[in-house]
């Protein structure tokens, strides 16, 4: 058996490739007795070749690639991006937040929200594309017209997330094992999805690894990214709603690893529940219920227009509507939603955070 081993990733950045984002490439590494001695990366759209060899330095397109000193490197990275903009396209409204980066911390520099016309988006279907684009562009102009790069997140029936345990593997073998598991679990053909994964933890004693999987239908992803791009924006990061909520909670709060925690995100059409166990992501599921049921009950019960219904839900019609009847309507229409969540949560008896 040779002391040398080649590890090749023919397409690193699969999600970017499928979404039309130009940052992907081919990676190759040479190991000698389990230690890396040479590596290379080729980015075809940029026609850039990066490679390095142990003891000989790093190169870009044949020229020495000089790494700046520590101070210069920090300055170089700080110029790369001074802010991050998150854009959330919901069924009821568009939300935006801009975070500025400074001295290793973040601060909110802009925040905005615009409500969409009723029925502009229902579940995953965009029924009034022009209205959605107009409101996104208006929100950008309202907060910061210079914004171009945005971070977005997706969810719904076009996205699946799952966690599973498989034999511990590395490199191409790991990718093949994960692809096989995806084929068994995905409700649609793996050729029709863009997928990514993260190895949560490994257990050397039993040679197993826990894998977190996310897959999005290419058609759905293309439609969503096309909407963002038609607004004159660049989607530089595409996240999953459940993972975004999990990461935000983990970053901002102390996680009690002795309890199971449920993070409940109540949307207009779908309520998403993300579970944490032992301080790690444990799973997620969607409940097809949200605030639209409350809106519909008020609209029908009081025979209001969609615009007046929205005002009633905000408390702007206290003199026109009997408030006791309004509260009773909200309670009765949301009882099914709460019951559904409890049925799902009851076996694990988790703590709930919203």
């Amino acid at each position: 058996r040779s002391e040398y081993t080649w590890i090749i990733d023919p397409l690193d950045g699969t999600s970017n490739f499928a979404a039309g984002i130009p940052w992907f490439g081919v990676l190759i590494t040479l190991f000698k007795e389990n230690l890396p001695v040479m590596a290379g990366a080729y980015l075809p759209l940029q026609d850039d070749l990066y490679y390095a060899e142990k003891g000989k330095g790093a190169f870009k397109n044949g020229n020495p690639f000089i790494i700046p000193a520590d101070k210069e490197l920090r300055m170089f990275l700080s110029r790369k991006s001074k802010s991050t903009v998150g854009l959330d396209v919901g069924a009821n409204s568009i939300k935006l937040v801009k975070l500025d980066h400074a001295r290793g911390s973040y601060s909110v520099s802009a925040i905005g929200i615009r409500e969409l016309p009723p029925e502009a988006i229902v579940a995953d279907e965009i029924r009034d594309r022009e209205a959605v684009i107009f409101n996104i562009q208006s929100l950008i102009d309202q907060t910061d017209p210079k914004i171009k790069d945005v971070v977005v997140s997706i969810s719904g029936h076009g996205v699946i997330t799952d966690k599973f345990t498989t034999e511990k593997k590395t490199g191409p073998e790991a990718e093949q094992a994960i692809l096989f598991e995806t084929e068994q679990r995905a409700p649609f053909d793996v050729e029709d999805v863009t997928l990514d994964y993260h190895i949560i933890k490994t257990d050397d004693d039993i040679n197993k690894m826990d894998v977190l999987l996310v897959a999005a239908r290419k058609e759905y992803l293309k439609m969503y990214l096309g909407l963002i791009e038609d607004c004159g924006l660049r989607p530089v990061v595409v996240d999953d709603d459940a993972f975004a909520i999990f990461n935000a909670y983990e970053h901002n709060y102390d996680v009690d690893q002795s309890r199971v925690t449920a993070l409940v995100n109540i949307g207009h059409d779908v309520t998403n529940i993300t579970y944490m166990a032992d301080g790690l992501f444990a799973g997620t599921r969607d409940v097809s219920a949200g605030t639209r049921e409350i809106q519909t009950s008020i609209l029908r019960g009081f025979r209001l227009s969609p615009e007046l219904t929205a005002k009633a839900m905000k408390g702007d019609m206290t003199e026109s509507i009997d408030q006791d009847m309004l509260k009773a309507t909200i309670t009765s229409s949301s009882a099914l939603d709460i019951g559904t969540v409890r049925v799902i949560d009851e076996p694990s008896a988790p703590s709930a955070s919203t």
Side-chain angles (χ1 to χ4, degrees):
R1 181 179 178 180
S2 174
E3 59 183 343
Y4 292 97
T5 302
W6 287 98
I7 303 294
I8 302 173
D9 185 348
L11 181 56
D12 182 64
T14 309
S15 299
N16 286 354
F17 175 79
I21 300 173
W23 297 103
F24 56 86
V26 181
L27 305 183
I28 183 170
T29 303
L30 176 64
F31 284 79
K32 181 180 180 181
E33 297 178 347
N34 296 323
L35 293 176
V37 295
M38 183 183 296
Y42 178 63
L43 281 61
L45 294 189
Q46 290 76 21
D47 196 24
D48 285 334
L49 175 63
Y50 298 84
Y51 59 94
E53 186 175 354
K54 184 178 180 181
K56 295 185 179 181
F59 301 85
K60 176 184 177 181
N61 298 329
N63 299 314
F65 193 69
I66 307 300
I67 303 299
D70 183 60
K71 182 177 179 181
E72 294 173 335
L73 180 59
R74 289 199 301 268
M75 293 176 63
F76 171 75
L77 293 175
S78 68
R79 291 197 300 268
K80 187 176 181 181
S81 177
K82 294 184 178 180
S83 64
T84 299
V85 178
L87 181 68
D88 176 30
V89 181
N92 182 63
S93 59
I94 312 292
K95 284 82 67 179
L96 180 147
V97 62
K98 181 181 179 183
L99 300 178
D100 286 345
H101 310 170
R103 299 178 181 178
S105 62
Y106 302 92
S107 61
V108 177
S109 61
I111 190 168
I113 182 170
R114 283 185 68 94
E115 292 189 0
L116 291 172
E119 310 296 321
I121 299 179
V122 178
D124 299 335
E125 182 186 358
I126 300 176
R127 296 185 177 179
D128 192 341
R129 184 182 179 87
E130 292 184 0
V132 176
I133 291 176
F134 171 79
N135 280 277
I136 292 176
Q137 292 175 332
S138 298
L139 184 57
I140 295 292
D141 292 339
Q142 169 190 329
T143 50
D144 184 352
K146 296 180 181 179
I147 292 173
K148 290 298 179 184
D149 295 343
V150 294
V151 174
V152 297
S153 182
I154 58 177
S155 64
H157 301 299
V159 181
I160 65 166
T161 57
D162 201 358
K163 191 185 81 167
F164 58 87
T165 301
T166 186
E167 295 291 330
K168 180 184 173 183
K169 300 179 184 297
T170 59
E173 289 187 351
E175 294 189 357
Q176 288 297 323
I178 292 169
L179 181 61
F180 174 78
E181 288 289 342
T182 304
E183 291 176 338
Q184 311 308 309
R185 298 166 183 271
F188 23 74
D189 195 322
V190 293
E191 296 295 328
D192 297 331
V193 303
T194 296
L195 54 89
D196 201 355
Y197 67 90
H198 174 67
I199 298 175
I200 302 175
K201 65 178 180 179
T202 59
D203 191 328
D204 295 331
D205 293 335
I206 59 175
N207 198 39
K208 298 285 186 180
M209 62 182 183
D210 290 341
V211 179
L212 190 58
L213 171 73
V214 59
R217 294 186 62 183
K218 291 180 180 178
E219 181 181 1
Y220 172 71
L221 189 60
K222 183 178 180 181
M223 178 274 296
Y224 188 84
L225 296 182
L227 174 74
I228 303 300
E229 291 168 349
D230 286 347
C231 296
L233 303 172
R234 289 187 294 264
V236 293
V237 174
V238 180
D239 204 349
D240 174 84
D241 281 2
F243 298 155
I245 291 172
F246 169 80
N247 289 330
Y249 183 83
E250 186 181 42
H251 182 77
N252 288 283
Y253 300 93
D254 292 330
V255 179
D256 186 349
Q257 298 189 10
S258 66
R259 304 185 66 185
V260 175
T261 300
L263 307 177
V264 183
N265 176 25
I266 302 174
H268 198 49
D269 288 313
V270 176
T271 294
N272 173 262
I273 309 169
T274 301
Y275 297 93
M276 300 173 63
D278 300 323
L280 301 173
F281 181 96
T284 182
R285 60 181 69 182
D286 292 337
V287 179
S288 297
T291 57
R292 191 184 294 275
E293 281 80 5
I294 299 175
Q295 186 182 57
T296 301
S297 296
I298 295 174
L299 185 147
R300 293 176 178 173
F302 293 90
R303 297 185 179 182
L304 300 175
S305 66
E307 291 75 17
L308 290 178
T309 300
K311 288 185 177 182
M313 292 181 68
K314 294 177 181 178
D316 295 338
M317 298 184 65
T318 55
E319 297 181 359
S320 305
I321 293 180
D322 185 300
Q323 295 302 294
D324 290 334
M325 289 183 62
L326 178 62
K327 291 179 181 178
T329 302
I330 293 174
T331 301
S332 62
S333 61
S334 60
L336 177 61
D337 303 358
I338 296 172
T340 305
V341 173
R342 284 177 177 167
V343 168
I344 294 175
D345 290 353
E346 193 173 16
S348 300
S351 60
S353 299
T354 57

